[in-house]
Amino acid sequence: MTRYLVARVLQAVIAVFFALTAVFFLVRITGDPVILFLPLDVQPKDISEFRHLLGFDRPVWVQYGAFLGRALHGDFGASLRYRAPALPLVLQRFPATAQLAAVSLALVAAGAVPIGVVSASRRGSMADTVGIAVTALGQAVPGFWLGLMLMWIFGVWLRWFPVSGYGNWTHFVLPAFTLAAFYAAQIARVTRSAVLDALGQDYVRTARAKGLSEPNVLARHVLKNAAIPVVTVFGLNAGQLLGGAVVTETIFAWPGLGGYILNALLGRDFPVVMVGVLFTSLIYVTMNFLVDLSYLWLNPQVRFG
């Protein structure tokens, strides 16, 4: 058990390190950002001084070494645009993203798993047909189009919910439903497939032969064995949502991580981009680590893998 956990932690640290290294060099391929943050009538001498002040006149490998040295002490530099430490700028955007992700994941869990289980346990029925149609529609409809339609119907026409911004619970309804629609469809299809596979196993036929009712068979023998692929996809989706949903946050003017990091990338605000990559990488490896831990409960054989 301890060996397994230590191996997973080391893999997570290596993944974050390589993600930061790759992005550090990739963003510098886009060119020198200095000119973007100076007035149009700036003199060449001032450009050189500003470039020297930021360290962009040094070889890239020297910049990389300095970045790693500062990062180990939690210093990722100041935003080139806002002239403020990059780490707090990114962290202050996380609560809005986390709240939206939590509401969206709750909707996904409450809707997708029951649809997948009912669809699989009643294969070929009307419920199965409706479930397949709804999940196919959920995956086929683009998120930006669904968001705009929800804004027009429930925000502009019916005036039930605000069309943008961040505030009370009514601000969560439209963006959370937009995000949940795609992920719920995906997880419902995975759940249906996993439950169908479990229903065909010998231990399920044995349980039925012993006279157990179908709900007991599902609850005691099917759901736990079908949970591994569902938990895996759910964890990946949670990582994506906690890392910021760029399109949805942009459509609904949500002050989260996704849109902020995208704007920093487009504006070549390198320190903010690096903090965003670090934060997103940590979220992903943490979610994957939690998914790995769930395997220990769902499938004890993993402990000896």
Side-chain angles (χ1 to χ4, degrees), residues 146-164 174 251-252:
L146 177 62
L148 293 175
M149 290 299 101
L150 292 176
M151 288 173 67
W152 180 67
I153 296 173
F154 297 101
V156 178
W157 184 29
L158 297 176
R159 297 181 181 277
W160 288 358
F161 305 107
V163 297
S164 64
L174 299 184
I251 291 174
F252 291 98

Side-chain angles (χ1 to χ4, degrees), residues 118-152:
V118 171
S119 184
S121 61
R122 299 182 183 181
R123 186 179 186 181
S125 67
M126 179 60 70
D128 185 26
T129 302
V130 172
I132 292 174
V134 170
T135 54
L137 185 65
Q139 286 195 294
V141 175
F144 73 90
W145 186 85
L146 177 62
L148 293 175
M149 290 299 101
L150 292 176
M151 288 173 67
W152 180 67

Side-chain angles (χ1 to χ4, degrees), residues 75-138:
D75 179 11
F76 292 88
S79 165
L80 303 180
R81 181 174 301 280
Y82 299 105
R83 304 288 196 274
L87 183 59
L89 288 176
V90 173
L91 290 179
Q92 69 184 11
R93 297 279 180 152
F94 182 64
T97 292
Q99 291 170 2
L100 180 60
V103 175
S104 302
L105 290 173
L107 291 175
V108 170
V113 175
I115 289 175
V117 172
V118 171
S119 184
S121 61
R122 299 182 183 181
R123 186 179 186 181
S125 67
M126 179 60 70
D128 185 26
T129 302
V130 172
I132 292 174
V134 170
T135 54
L137 185 65

Side-chain angles (χ1 to χ4, degrees), residues 8 232 235-236 283-293:
R8 287 292 183 268
T232 302
L236 293 174
I283 289 172
Y284 267 97
V285 298
T286 301
M287 294 309 303
N288 283 330
F289 184 68
L290 293 176
V291 169
D292 288 342
L293 289 182

